[in-house]
Amino acid sequence: MGRLAAILVPLAYLVCVATAQQVKTTNTSSCHRLPLPNGVTGAESLDFYGKDGVYTGVSDGRVLKWGGRAAGWSTFAYNAKFRKLPLCSDSSVPSEEKESKCGRPLGVRFYRKTGELYIADAYLGLMKVGPAGGEAQVLAKEADGVPFHFVNGLAVDQATGDVYFTDSSLNFTRSHYAQALNGVYMCRHNFEIMNQHDDSGRLLKYDARTKLVTVLWANMPYPNGVALSRDGTHLVVAHTGPCEAHRYWLKGPKAGKYELFAELPGYPDNVRPDTQGGFWVALNRERQQNGTAPVPKPKHLVGVRLNADGKEVEELTAAAGVTLSEVASSNGKLWLGSVELDYIGVL
């Protein structure tokens, strides 16, 4: 028996090592950089439509379209304020000073049957623009009589056209900025929501048929990105403050239930389906312990891929200081969006 145990223990160790080694690591530092136009930053969310179309919301309130190298960038959608207020198109004014007036598109997703693009604007609400682009219309600004404060993540059910989205807080908006002594504006919305342990966020549904918004789940700690599972049975919602992803069941015996899906190694932003039935989760930075500075890591994580069971199977790393807000798969490539950077990464 002793000899058998001596054999089994090393074998068990090898199995554990092999399991740990199944997590693939990709360094994004060598990614191709697709620069945004001068004067704008923050490709927070991305979607793809048509032959070469890449669409993203940026810091001045517009949604831009990349039409390939020949066509370059063009304005695809804008809100009413962008045309009415000269401030919005003035690139000399920092976006931090004007976004509460000019809007800030975050999540963007197409309903492919119609070519309509849905936009989660942090200030203006849930919006939509037709396949030809132009001025986006506001679809909803409140639910159950309570106004939106911080519309954030977005997912579209391609079977029904229904839209699922998050309102990250009823108490804080993205416009919480603090001016440093050197005159640089520092965004505080993440800090305020987490520091105050705010749990007033909501998961919402816009019914494409009735045009009504319902609250699916309330009293949530910083809900951010949201994605629909490949089989359409559930949503996966990222919670930035707790560093978690949760699952909301839409169908089946657990319909209406909300449960933990994965604990994450960093503060998550957007969630996107991968090509294998799982999800990509972008990470803003490593997780903190008890309000302290991030624990030093041998690598800087900016994204993880979870399988259908919520297990981490792949991770993305980057140079210190780089943050991602979205990791999206399209045409065999990974597209990397960031609310802070002036380019989109492509792997």
Side-chain angles (χ1 to χ4, degrees), residues 47-55 65-69 71-72 331 335:
D47 208 3
F48 312 89
Y49 191 74
K51 183 176 181 295
D52 296 311
V54 181
Y55 298 77
K65 174 185 177 180
W66 172 256
R69 294 190 179 280
N331 295 324
W335 295 75

Side-chain angles (χ1 to χ4, degrees), residues 117-176:
L117 180 70
Y118 287 89
I119 304 164
D121 191 289
Y123 304 96
L124 304 180
L126 180 66
M127 308 182 75
K128 181 180 74 171
V129 68
E135 184 174 317
Q137 66 177 109
V138 177
L139 299 177
K141 300 176 69 174
E142 56 88 21
D144 288 350
V146 180
F148 302 148
H149 273 65
F150 189 168
V151 180
N152 201 332
L154 183 76
V156 177
D157 187 334
Q158 297 300 324
T160 64
D162 293 337
V163 181
Y164 300 95
F165 61 106
T166 57
D167 186 14
S168 292
S169 173
L170 299 184
N171 301 311
F172 299 98
T173 71
R174 265 190 58 92
S175 61
H176 284 81

Side-chain angles (χ1 to χ4, degrees), residues 61 63 85 87 101 128 189 196 207 263 269 325 331 335:
V63 174
L85 300 178
L87 171 74
K101 302 179 182 68
K128 181 180 74 171
H189 65 275
Q196 300 296 327
D207 189 301
E263 294 186 353
D269 201 321
S325 55
N331 295 324
W335 295 75

Side-chain angles (χ1 to χ4, degrees), residues 41-61:
T41 59
E44 201 270 352
S45 181
L46 309 164
D47 208 3
F48 312 89
Y49 191 74
K51 183 176 181 295
D52 296 311
V54 181
Y55 298 77
T56 187
V58 291
S59 57
D60 66 1

